[in-house]
Amino acid sequence: RDSAGKMKTVLASQTVSIPDRVSVKMNGRSITVKGPRGTLHKDFSHLNLELTRVNATTIRVDVWFALRKHLACLRTICSHIENLIKGVQYGFSYKMRSVYAHFPINLNVIDDGKTIEVRNYLGQKYIRVVRMRDGVICKQSGNKDEIIVEGNDIEKVSNSAALIQQSTKAKNKDIRKFLDGIYVSEKTTIVPIEE
């Protein structure tokens, strides 16, 4: 126990397994993952934990003398690393549908999928322009009122989807009644995962 009477755990560990098609480089607390779809990099320098390469197929994450808040970070970091590994193998794909009661929302993908224009939201003349994050592209799915946002980094893909959703907010209206907008309908991978 420390002076404040909080319980410290001497050592907490968790492991992440690395698949065959993926190579991982570690430098201190930063990690670079390379796979069939590209390379992703993430830096965990803001957290005091240890990343260790146990063998060719395993990474161990250790937290020494951690309080409860730091123990929670352990699982989070492992999830981040697993998402990097999944991203470079399969990619991430978010399907988004536009929902409207009366005025049809027009979605135009421009700039080779790097930008999307939202027109006629609630009949407004204003054109909403949303730019995708780096490494994320947006495309029409072929279905009516549906687009696909895809990329390798789950944070950038989900952030781009959030930007599209946030661009269509019903201001000064009862949001229980005005449900028009563009919402994420499905989260999958670009390359199907073989079970």
Side-chain angles (χ1 to χ4, degrees):
R1 284 171 179 265
D2 65 0
S3 57
K6 290 178 181 168
M7 195 72 180
K8 284 197 173 185
T9 309
V10 176
L11 172 64
S13 297
Q14 205 163 340
T15 56
V16 179
S17 55
I18 306 165
D20 300 337
R21 302 186 298 163
V22 175
S23 67
V24 175
K25 277 198 194 122
M26 294 193 318
N27 181 13
R29 283 177 284 188
S30 66
I31 186 165
T32 307
V33 182
K34 201 171 183 182
R37 292 187 54 85
T39 308
L40 290 174
H41 175 78
K42 207 158 182 59
D43 191 12
F44 301 118
S45 298
H46 59 290
L47 294 167
N48 53 354
L49 43 83
E50 248 178 65
L51 291 174
T52 318
R53 188 72 176 261
V54 182
N55 53 37
T57 59
T58 316
I59 296 170
R60 192 177 72 227
V61 184
D62 295 333
V63 182
W64 291 88
F65 301 110
L67 294 170
R68 196 170 160 187
K69 285 275 168 74
H70 297 130
L71 287 177
C73 295
L74 182 66
R75 169 90 192 204
T76 307
I77 297 304
C78 291
S79 299
H80 280 315
I81 296 169
E82 280 162 10
N83 281 333
L84 294 178
I85 291 168
K86 193 174 171 187
V88 295
Q89 286 185 96
Y90 307 109
F92 292 98
S93 171
Y94 279 32
K95 279 186 186 164
M96 300 188 78
R97 301 281 308 252
S98 61
V99 177
Y100 48 85
H102 187 275
F103 295 103
I105 298 171
N106 295 341
L107 300 171
N108 296 335
V109 177
I110 53 174
D111 198 14
D112 295 331
K114 291 193 181 77
T115 310
I116 185 167
E117 284 183 346
V118 182
R119 294 167 185 262
N120 201 34
Y121 175 69
L122 294 180
Q124 296 167 5
K125 293 279 181 276
Y126 176 69
I127 300 166
R128 291 160 167 79
V129 178
V130 183
R131 286 187 179 79
M132 300 293 103
R133 296 285 189 224
D134 292 341
V136 178
I137 60 158
C138 181
K139 61 186 189 188
Q140 301 281 359
S141 71
N143 296 345
K144 187 174 178 288
D145 298 329
E146 190 175 65
I147 53 169
I148 295 173
V149 180
E150 60 186 31
N152 292 345
D153 189 338
I154 192 169
E155 288 189 12
K156 287 181 178 169
V157 172
S158 55
N159 191 257
S160 301
L163 290 175
I164 295 171
Q165 183 179 331
Q166 286 169 5
S167 72
T168 54
K169 277 185 177 171
K171 299 267 178 72
N172 304 327
K173 305 255 191 311
D174 183 355
I175 56 168
R176 296 169 299 183
K177 178 71 178 162
F178 290 85
L179 297 169
D180 292 27
I182 306 163
Y183 301 103
V184 174
S185 63
E186 192 185 347
K187 301 176 184 181
T188 56
T189 54
I190 301 169
V191 180
I193 300 174
E194 312 88 29
E195 291 300 330

